Amino acid sequence: MATSRAPLRFADAVSATVSESAKSGFFFDFDGTIAPILRDPAAVFPVPGAVERLRVLAGLVSRVAIVSARPAAFLSDRFAAVPQVRLYGLYGMQTVVDGQVRTDAEARPWAPLMRDLAADALRDLPGEVLVEDKALLVALHYRTAPALRGAVERWASTKAAELGLREQYGRMVVELRPPVEHDKGTVVEREAETLTRAWYFGDDLSDGRAFDVLRDRELRDPAFLGVRVAVANGETGDELARRADFTVSAPEDTPDLLDHVIGAFPGRSARSYPG
Ligand SMILES: [Mg+2]
C-alpha cells in the first residue's frame, strides 16, 4: 500500500518529534511488539527494558499508550509501575481510569452472548485449540496445532455470521468480538486528535488499522506526521512491514529503538540510530 509521502528518514522522524514533543504521542500494541509471543498468553510479560522506556518517554512527550486486544485488567497488572501510560484493552472496548477498568457501555450488553460463545468454542473445537475467554472477546489460539487453522477459521466465520460479531485474524489466532465501533484505528485516531506527531508500533494484521489512520490523517493534515513501526515476524509480519516507515526485527529490539528517540531529547545522551 502506498504511503502518503516520500520515505521518512529515522533521524527526521525523531527530530520532528523532539521539536514538537508537547504534541507528540507514542502508541504501542502489546503482544509481539513490546512483549514476546508465547504459547501460554497468561505467561507473557513486557520485554526487559520496555516499561522503563515507556516511563521515560511519558515524561518527554504528551501521550504514551498501549492499544491491545488484552483485557485492560491484564494490561493494568503488567504496567502497574507506569500509571502515566494510558491503557486501552479489548481493542478500546476497555480503558483504565484512576486504576479502575471502564468498559464501553455499548459493548457491555454483549457479555452474556460472548460467555456462551466461549462455552460453545470449548465444546465444539478440538482440545488443542486454546479458547481464551476475555469477557467481551473470545480468542481462539491454534499455535500448538497450526493444522487446525482452517477448522478454527470456519467455525469462527460461521459464528460471526450467525451472531453478528466481528472477526479479527492474527498470529495463530482468530478473535471474535461485538460489532461496536472500536479497533486500534479508532483508538489512535481519537488519541491523536490533538497531536501533530504520532508513532504507532505493531506486529499484526489488526495494527494495520492504526497504520491506516495515521496515513489518512497525514493526507488531511499536512502538518501531521505519523510514524509507523512494524515489528517483524514470520507469521503476519510481512504484511505490516510493507506499510511501515521502519521495521525492527523482534520485540526485544523495540526498547533499543526507543533509546534512540529518547537520546535525541535535550539533556539526554545522544545516540544515532542506523537507517
Ligand atoms: Mg501484537
Side-chain angles (χ1 to χ4, degrees):
M1 194 172 293
T3 51
S4 57
R5 49 163 162 66
L8 184 62
R9 288 177 56 235
F10 187 79
D12 293 340
V14 171
S15 63
T17 303
V18 171
S19 69
E20 295 202 17
S21 58
K23 289 190 169 184
S24 293
F26 284 76
F27 304 96
F28 301 88
D29 164 54
F30 180 70
D31 294 279
T33 297
I34 54 169
I37 299 277
L38 301 180
R39 284 186 171 200
D40 177 8
V44 177
F45 282 81
V47 296
V51 172
E52 173 60 13
R53 294 334 187 274
L54 265 48
R55 188 188 64 75
V56 174
L57 211 48
L60 295 170
V61 299
S62 169
R63 180 78 32 90
V64 178
I66 308 292
V67 189
S68 170
R70 294 281 193 165
F74 172 93
L75 299 175
S76 227
D77 176 75
R78 297 305 193 259
F79 296 95
V82 282
Q84 58 276 57
V85 172
R86 289 196 186 187
L87 304 175
Y88 289 94
L90 304 182
Y91 292 101
M93 288 189 289
Q94 289 184 332
T95 52
V96 178
V97 180
D98 298 328
Q100 300 294 313
V101 172
R102 232 178 245 182
T103 300
D104 179 77
E106 206 191 329
R108 231 180 284 136
W110 288 83
L113 183 144
M114 296 306 291
R115 198 165 43 232
D116 291 348
L117 180 73
D120 288 354
L122 282 169
R123 191 195 57 223
D124 295 353
L125 292 167
E128 299 96 311
V129 177
L130 172 62
V131 177
E132 200 185 357
D133 178 2
K134 306 193 213 181
L136 285 168
L137 187 156
V138 175
L140 309 170
H141 300 268
Y142 50 88
R143 181 162 296 278
T144 58
L148 290 173
R149 175 181 178 167
V152 171
E153 290 183 353
R154 276 192 300 279
W155 188 89
S157 289
T158 304
K159 285 291 180 185
E162 184 186 311
L163 302 170
L165 300 173
R166 279 200 190 184
E167 286 166 84
Q168 177 67 56
Y169 293 77
R171 296 179 60 184
M172 304 280 182
V173 67
V174 183
E175 296 164 332
L176 291 167
R177 65 184 204 268
V180 295
E181 276 311 302
H182 290 288
D183 60 37
K184 293 182 178 188
T186 61
V187 171
V188 170
E189 185 171 35
R190 201 172 50 241
E191 281 282 310
E193 255 169 26
T194 57
L195 304 176
T196 57
R197 314 281 184 250
W199 294 54
Y200 186 89
F201 295 69
D203 73 306
D204 207 347
L205 302 177
S206 64
D207 299 305
R209 282 287 301 125
F211 277 21
D212 289 345
V213 155
L214 295 184
R215 187 203 57 220
D216 293 348
R217 171 76 184 273
E218 283 184 329
L219 292 172
R220 286 198 314 275
D221 176 1
F224 181 82
L225 176 69
V227 184
R228 291 158 283 242
V229 183
V231 180
N233 63 81
E235 293 168 2
T236 58
D238 288 353
E239 160 98 18
L240 202 65
R242 268 198 299 276
R243 299 156 58 187
D245 298 299
F246 308 109
T247 300
V248 296
S249 54
E252 289 73 15
D253 296 333
T254 303
D256 188 51
L257 183 150
L258 295 177
D259 276 345
H260 291 94
V261 176
I262 291 165
F265 278 80
R268 298 265 160 189
S269 58
R271 293 171 64 190
S272 62
Y273 187 74

